């Protein structure tokens, strides 16, 4: 079925592209739509910080030349105008780095008005102008050392809209200096220039004046700080042109970068997915090679392990089918052959031939029953009907089944024990465990055809060991002998007794009883299979 979902590569690409577009939109909003507000905020904060620094420098004990140098650095570094005069209009410091600033040409009357305005409002005032004349508003949040803030507008700034707001032409005081020589008096210019007079292009720009009274305990000085609050048109135009080029370059680079990143991230996933498809087709030798990222590497290792386990399981399944088919075919063939002989040949209907048919039918029944029991144990549907019973007696009863085998085929089965012991377990299932372990030992024992069953008591536990004298099992094979479908001898031969599925049944029954079990073996010295159960008091029999 064709999937309609988008590829992970393109999904990552789209997400990265959307992220870049959002960044560009934010950049345009900040640089174009909100440039004026943002610039005004930054310039206001800068002016306020410089104002605090100027006050700190003024109150310091540095020499006058050092103070003047610091004022020049502050004004030049922040594009501000710093102007300090005494109450008589005598210039003390003047450092103007604002285009067309005219603080040094301020009429004496306006200087006095600003001084009075600041004095009436706690020693500081802030006035914002648009263009070169008209005041817009006065900041009411201009603190000075915890004193009251400015709360009223200056009377000299309040003019009707239909009147000329330009200041009247006045004679400049002889002691007002100029920027070139702040400490020396100069004659006023020939022409009066209004306060904060800007060029024609700057008529809509906003400017701010901070007026602060500096008091050293003896005399008072007036500190003016002038800053432009809005960027000029040329600056805005330059930023827009620059932003267009930046946006085009960023968009192209982001598309290329998104393609590269999405391809790199999805490359391992696509490769792993392709290998998984091959695995689904039954190609268990496929190798998952996603090693680019930690999570993909762990997934690849897990899938590689799964592929090996599936390959091994598939091999076991094929062996099981072959072995079970062989075990089923042999008794069926013998039953068919003997039955036809007894039907067609006179005198063949003997008790011996009938017994062969019965034995083969029982063998077939046992095989089918073992397969059913194994399936139930693996499914976890069998119930553990535990009771306290005589384990030693149970072993003796199991061994009686092998009397005929010992007589006919000369097998020897020895049971070594000190006394009878009692355990709490499901007697029928423990009989299956003993029967399958003994069958396995008989099947793999050596030429002496000897099997030894030992009952050992230790630390209130009973340990049952079944030993054979066969070829033994390699150490690397021991962890797998309990697994389903596993056989050590790859060339299948029919079991002397039992069905050949015994160890898998033994494992699940012992785990159902939460009993310890294991196997010990050495090549050329046979094998020992064991399990342990807790010994019970005989008085609990039948409880």
């Amino acid at each position: 079925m064709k999937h309609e979902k988008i590829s992970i590569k393109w999904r990552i690409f789209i997400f990265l592209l959307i992220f870049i577009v959002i960044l560009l939109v934010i950049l345009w909003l900040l640089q174009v739509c909100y440039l004026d507000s943002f610039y005004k905020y930054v310039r206001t904060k800068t002016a306020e910080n410089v104002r605090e620094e100027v006050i700190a420098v003024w109150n310091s004990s540095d020499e006058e030349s050092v103070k003047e140098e610091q004022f020049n650095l502050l004004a030049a570094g922040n594009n501000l105008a710093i102007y300090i005069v005494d109450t008589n209009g005598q210039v003390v410091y003047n450092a103007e780095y604002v285009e067309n600033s005219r603080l040094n040409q301020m009429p004496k009357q306006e200087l006095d008005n600003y001084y009075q305005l600041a004095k009436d409002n706690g020693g500081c005032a802030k006035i914002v102008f648009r263009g070169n004349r008209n005041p817009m508003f006065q900041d009411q949040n201009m603190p000075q050392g915890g004193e009251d803030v400015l709360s009223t507008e200056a009377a000299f700034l309040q003019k009707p809209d239909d009147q000329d707001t330009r200041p009247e032409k006045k004679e400049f005081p002889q002691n007002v200096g100029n920027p070139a020589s702040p400490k020396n008096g100069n004659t006023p210019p020939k022409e009066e220039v209004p306060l904060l007079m800007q060029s024609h292009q700057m008529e809509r720009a906003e400017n701010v004046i901070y007026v602060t009274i500096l008091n050293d305990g003896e005399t008072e000085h007036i500190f003016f700080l002038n800053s432009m609050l809005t960027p000029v048109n040329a600056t805005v135009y330059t930023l827009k042109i620059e932003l267009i080029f930046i946006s085009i370059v960023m968009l192209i680079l982001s598309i290329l970068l998104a393609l590269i990143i999405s391809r790199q991230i999805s490359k391992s996933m696509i490769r792993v997915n392709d290998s998984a498809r091959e695995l689904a087709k039954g190609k268990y030798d496929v190798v998952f090679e996603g090693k680019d990222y930690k999570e993909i590497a762990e997934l690849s290792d897990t899938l590689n392990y799964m592929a090996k386990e599936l390959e091994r399981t598939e091999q076991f399944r094929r062996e099981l089918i072959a072995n079970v088919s062989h075990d089923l075919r042999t008794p069926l063939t013998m039953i068919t052959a003997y039955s036809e002989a007894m039907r067609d040949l006179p005198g063949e209907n003997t008790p011996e031939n009938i017994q062969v048919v019965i034995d083969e039918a029982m063998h077939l029944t046992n095989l089918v029953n073992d397969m059913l029991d194994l399936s139930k144990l693996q499914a976890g549907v069998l119930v553990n009907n535990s009771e306290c019973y005589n384990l030693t007696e149970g072993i003796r009863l199991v061994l009686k089944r092998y009397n005929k085998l010992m007589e006919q085929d000369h097998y020897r089965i020895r049971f070594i024990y000190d006394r009878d012991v009692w355990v709490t377990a499901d007697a029928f299932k423990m009989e299956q465990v003993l029967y399958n372990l003994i069958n396995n030992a008989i099947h793999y024992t050596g030429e002496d055809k000897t099997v030894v069953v030992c009952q050992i008591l230790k630390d209130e536990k009973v340990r049952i060991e079944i030993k054979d004298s066969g070829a033994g099992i390699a150490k690397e094979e021991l962890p797998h002998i309990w697994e389903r479908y596993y056989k050590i001898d790859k060339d299948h031969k029919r079991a002397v007794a039992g069905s050949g599925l015994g160890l898998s049944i033994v494992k699940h029954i012992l785990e159902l009883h939460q009993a310890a079990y294991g196997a010990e073996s050495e090549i050329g010295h046979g094998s020992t299979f064991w399990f342990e159960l807790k010994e019970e008091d005989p008085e609990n029999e039948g409880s």
Side-chain angles (χ1 to χ4, degrees):
M1 183 177 66
K2 185 178 180 180
H3 294 280
E4 297 180 356
K5 294 184 178 180
I6 190 171
S7 168
I8 185 174
K9 178 175 69 176
W10 293 111
R11 185 180 292 273
I12 295 174
F13 170 76
I14 292 173
F15 286 159
L16 289 175
L17 198 58
I18 292 174
F19 175 71
I20 296 298
V21 170
I22 292 174
L23 289 182
L24 288 176
V25 170
I26 294 174
L27 184 61
W28 273 88
L29 288 175
L30 291 177
Q31 294 296 321
V32 178
C33 299
Y34 297 102
L35 175 62
D36 189 75
S37 300
F38 186 70
Y39 187 86
K40 184 185 298 183
Y41 172 79
V42 172
R43 293 298 298 170
T44 300
K45 289 297 180 181
T46 301
E48 291 175 358
N49 293 335
V50 171
R51 174 181 168 275
E52 297 297 330
E53 293 184 36
V54 168
I55 295 174
V57 172
W58 174 265
N59 293 327
S60 66
S61 59
D62 295 336
E63 296 180 358
E64 295 298 323
S65 59
V66 175
K67 291 183 179 181
E68 184 174 357
E69 179 65 22
Q70 290 178 329
F71 291 151
N72 283 321
L73 290 176
L74 288 171
N78 297 280
N79 292 326
L80 300 170
I82 297 176
Y83 188 59
I84 302 177
V85 297
D86 59 21
T87 55
N88 296 319
Q90 178 66 41
V91 177
V92 180
Y93 293 107
N94 184 20
E96 298 189 60
Y97 290 87
V98 175
E99 184 180 3
N100 294 323
S101 176
R102 296 288 184 260
L103 285 175
N104 66 315
Q105 298 176 5
M106 185 188 308
K108 181 64 168 63
Q109 182 180 351
E110 293 189 8
L111 186 149
D112 292 339
N113 289 336
Y114 280 124
Y115 169 71
Q116 189 63 40
L117 177 65
K119 192 171 184 179
D120 293 341
N121 293 278
C124 60
K126 175 183 175 183
I127 302 92
V128 179
F129 292 87
R130 181 179 299 279
N132 57 4
R133 291 176 304 223
N134 298 328
M136 292 177 58
F137 61 87
Q138 304 207 358
D139 198 322
Q140 299 187 10
N141 295 285
M142 192 62 203
Q144 169 74 0
E147 299 175 2
D148 293 337
V149 298
L150 180 64
S151 59
T152 61
E153 294 187 351
F156 75 95
L157 293 175
Q158 297 176 346
K159 304 255 182 206
D161 293 338
D162 57 350
Q163 294 184 16
D164 186 0
T165 58
R166 291 177 297 178
E168 297 180 2
K169 188 173 181 180
K170 302 180 183 294
E171 293 185 0
F172 286 82
Q174 297 296 322
N175 57 354
V176 177
N178 59 40
S181 180
K183 296 293 183 72
N184 300 321
N186 295 287
T187 49
K190 297 180 179 179
E191 246 177 49
E192 178 189 354
V193 179
L195 178 65
L196 299 179
M197 181 63 182
Q198 307 293 335
S199 62
H200 179 71
Q201 295 89 337
M202 301 293 293
E203 288 184 356
R204 301 306 298 168
E206 291 184 23
N207 287 265
V208 64
I209 285 184
Y210 291 89
V211 185
T212 305
I213 298 176
L214 303 175
N215 192 338
D216 58 6
E218 297 180 357
T219 60
E220 288 185 342
H221 292 79
I222 309 171
F223 162 39
F224 295 90
L225 182 67
N226 179 208
S227 174
M228 184 177 294
L229 293 183
T230 54
V232 296
N233 294 336
T235 304
V236 175
Y237 180 76
T238 302
L239 288 175
K240 288 182 178 179
I241 297 299
E242 182 182 14
L243 190 58
I244 291 174
F245 283 104
I246 292 175
S247 300
I248 294 174
V249 173
M250 285 186 62
L251 192 59
I252 295 174
L253 291 179
S254 64
I255 292 175
L256 295 177
L257 185 62
L259 285 173
I260 294 173
I261 293 177
S262 61
R263 183 176 180 181
Q264 288 296 323
I265 293 177
S266 61
K267 181 171 63 177
S268 295
M269 298 182 185
I270 293 174
R271 191 163 57 240
V272 170
N273 184 57
D274 293 339
S275 299
R277 289 179 181 175
E278 296 298 317
L279 179 62
K281 295 177 182 178
K283 297 180 180 180
Y284 301 112
D285 58 344
V286 66
V287 177
F288 295 87
E289 299 178 346
K291 302 295 182 183
D292 297 341
Y293 311 100
K294 178 182 177 182
E295 292 78 7
I296 300 298
E298 292 177 352
L299 177 62
S300 298
D301 293 338
T302 302
L303 292 174
N304 284 326
Y305 175 76
M306 182 186 71
K308 292 179 181 179
E309 290 297 311
L310 287 175
E311 183 179 12
R312 197 157 63 93
T313 301
E314 178 65 15
Q315 182 180 353
F316 292 162
R317 185 186 66 81
R318 292 174 182 173
E319 291 179 1
L320 176 67
I321 292 175
N323 296 339
V324 172
S325 299
H326 183 275
D327 286 343
L328 288 173
R329 182 172 57 195
T330 300
L332 288 174
T333 300
M334 294 184 68
I335 290 173
T336 302
Y338 274 84
S339 298
E340 289 179 348
M342 287 187 294
R343 183 194 65 187
D344 298 336
L345 298 176
E348 290 298 323
N349 191 8
T350 62
E352 291 79 7
N353 290 342
I354 294 175
Q355 186 62 44
V356 170
V357 173
I358 294 173
D359 291 341
E360 294 300 328
M362 290 297 298
H363 185 84
L364 188 61
T365 301
N366 291 335
L367 177 62
V368 174
N369 288 336
D370 283 349
M371 293 178 65
L372 291 174
D373 289 343
L374 181 60
S375 298
K376 292 179 180 179
L377 287 168
Q378 291 175 342
V381 297
L382 287 183
V383 180
N384 184 8
N385 298 315
S386 296
E387 60 179 353
C388 188
Y389 83 105
N390 191 328
L391 177 62
T392 308
E393 179 63 23
I395 297 175
R396 288 194 291 259
L397 292 176
V398 170
L399 293 179
K400 287 182 180 180
R401 299 186 186 180
Y402 296 95
N403 288 336
K404 182 178 180 181
L405 183 66
M406 290 188 288
E407 292 175 2
Q408 293 180 350
D409 297 332
H410 306 290
Y411 280 90
R412 292 188 302 167
I413 303 177
R414 298 170 53 197
F415 182 30
I416 302 174
Y417 65 98
D418 294 333
R419 57 179 176 83
D420 286 11
V421 294
W422 296 71
V423 297
T424 299
D426 189 318
F428 176 75
K429 291 183 177 62
M430 294 308 301
E431 182 181 332
Q432 283 182 288
V433 169
L434 293 167
Y435 188 70
N436 284 312
L437 289 177
I438 294 172
N439 283 344
N440 184 74
I442 291 173
H443 182 70
Y444 289 104
T445 194
E447 295 180 357
D448 59 359
K449 295 185 176 181
T450 300
V451 174
V452 179
V453 180
C454 297
Q455 176 182 284
I456 302 171
L457 300 177
K458 184 179 180 181
D459 298 332
E460 297 184 353
K461 290 186 177 181
V462 54
R463 180 185 177 103
I464 305 299
E465 296 182 350
I466 294 91
K467 304 178 180 180
D468 64 64
S469 58
I473 305 172
K475 290 183 179 180
E476 60 270 15
E477 299 282 355
L478 281 175
H480 305 295
I481 60 176
W482 306 98
E483 296 179 7
R484 55 183 180 177
Y485 315 147
Y486 195 85
K487 286 185 69 66
I488 296 175
D489 57 334
K490 305 304 178 183
D491 297 328
H492 179 73
K493 61 180 181 179
R494 188 184 183 198
V496 176
S499 62
L501 302 176
L503 292 183
S504 294
I505 296 175
V506 168
K507 170 189 173 182
H508 287 87
I509 292 177
L510 291 177
E511 288 180 349
L512 185 65
H513 286 77
Q514 298 182 349
Y517 65 94
E520 300 169 358
S521 183
E522 186 177 349
I523 297 296
H525 294 82
S527 303
T528 300
F529 289 82
W530 59 270
F531 65 91
E532 291 181 349
L533 294 170
K534 183 179 179 182
E535 183 182 5
E536 299 290 346
D537 192 333
E539 294 181 359
N540 294 330
E541 182 181 2
S543 61

